[in-house]
Amino acid sequence: MAKHAQSQEARRTMMLNEPISRVIPKMAVPTIVAFLINSIYSLADTYFVSNLGTNATAAVSVNASLDQLIMMCGSMVAMGANSYIARLLGQGDEKKASQVLSTAFFIAMSLGTLLLIFGSIFMTPMVRLLGATPTCEAYSIDYATYVLLAAPFMAANFVMNQCLRSEGSATLSMVGMGFGGILNIVLDPIFIFGLNMGVAGASLATAISKWVSFSILIFPYITKRSLLHLSIKNFRPTKDIVTKVVSVGSSSLFRNGLSVVSAILLNRIAGGISDSVLAAVGVTNKIMMFPFCIILGFGNGFQPVAGFNWGAKRYDRVQESYKFSSRVSLIGSTIMAVAIALFCDQLIVLFAGTDDYMRRIGGFCILVQCVALPIHAWVAMVNMLCVGLGNAKGAFWLSTARQGTCFIPLLFPLAWAFGEYGIASVQALADVLSIALAIPIAVTMTKKIKKAQQDLLAQS
């Protein structure tokens, strides 16, 4: 118990007293590493499968929407729980924080189980709905089969990852996510080529890696080595907990829901032109996951710092953390955008092989997304500020803009006017458009922080 108290006190000291320029990177780096490893294994899936042909590559692109469906099952409660737990720990209420964790965990497992059941029953209609063409439908079914078996564990992984970060244990989160990602990379060629399983081998490798990640992530909870306690006894779906979690987490639910809808529409329009266009857009999204993961990981380092200090009424540090994160994200994303743009041809050819049409569309898609990358990075920081401070409305609008409210209205006009090039540019244009929402929200949030600081000074 004394060791536990010391850990909690050390965490409070870090969050409230260490320089912001040191705390946020300390929180962010393990998350960035874990995200990057996961993006590498996602890209490795696509790379190995691309050796089976363009149709197989298109199938992996289609099943990215299935991953987003599973993400929906866990991310809503995960993001809401992360935000609420960070504020509760800032207030020193560890008992209630453990109840929030346990409630979110078991809800996510239940939602993942429902997806497993209904997805398995309606497998063929599901992959067709996700955008599978007749030429890649069989591959899509092969890939979805094993991934669905891991759905409950994948959903729960989101909760444990987020909650480990909210209590300052980003390294434990990194180990859980990272080891599973490395294992997937090792298993891919063994199952796909060594055991001659083809696309189903990539799916099985992914499922096994998610099961292993689950085992690693749950270990500190069941051995009571974490600050929070995961237990069925702590399952408390009370009005207060559910409301607080859902109010903030709903932005993630709608974001992922709109992402699924957008991806399905994009897949169906791109597949209507050819599997090469469908594969090109899917591969581009996998390549751009690298800078996106760095931006998201950095934001996940910033968000609990902002939330913890907001709960502890250290408004000066909330403001400082936002300014620091905005500067770093803009500079870092610009550097990444230039680097990726310079090597876009070399990147896309790894997956396109001799398919010149796919190479041309994929290269264009990468370039336009690089142009919009700094805007995406800054908007992500504003979104994380809203999540950290419990601004559910701001988090909702920003999180749903990129692949929803700013994406869907552009998709059909661009596809109609410019064909495959319109499809390839829609994500970049949606990122640019989202800044119109982010600016007024950022102004409102900074005013809120300054007012809270002034009120605190007036009371002292």
Side-chain angles (χ1 to χ4, degrees), residues 279-292:
V281 174
V283 167
T284 296
N285 290 336
K286 295 290 179 71
I287 291 173
M288 294 305 294
M289 277 179 63
F290 281 89
F292 295 162

Side-chain angles (χ1 to χ4, degrees), residues 96-111:
K96 189 166 187 177
S98 294
Q99 293 174 351
V100 174
L101 161 68
S102 300
T103 303
F105 175 86
F106 289 108
I107 289 175
M109 283 286 288
S110 300
L111 293 174

Side-chain angles (χ1 to χ4, degrees), residues 284-337:
T284 296
N285 290 336
K286 295 290 179 71
I287 291 173
M288 294 305 294
M289 277 179 63
F290 281 89
F292 295 162
C293 283
I294 293 174
I295 292 166
L296 182 60
F298 188 77
N300 272 271
F302 156 58
Q303 182 246 306
V305 174
F308 192 101
N309 281 278
W310 181 261
K313 298 184 178 181
R314 287 295 308 273
Y315 306 120
D316 57 323
R317 286 176 66 82
V318 176
Q319 187 173 30
E320 184 185 354
S321 66
Y322 169 61
K323 290 181 178 179
F324 173 78
S325 299
S326 295
R327 287 196 303 269
V328 173
S329 64
L330 283 170
I331 295 171
S333 60
T334 300
I335 294 172
M336 289 188 293

Side-chain angles (χ1 to χ4, degrees), residues 343-366:
F343 296 98
C344 69
D345 289 336
Q346 291 86 342
L347 290 171
I348 196 68
V349 76
L350 292 172
F351 306 90
T354 58
D355 190 336
D356 291 333
Y357 188 29
M358 178 180 168
R359 290 169 61 180
R360 188 168 66 254
I361 301 302
F364 175 79
C365 192
I366 292 173

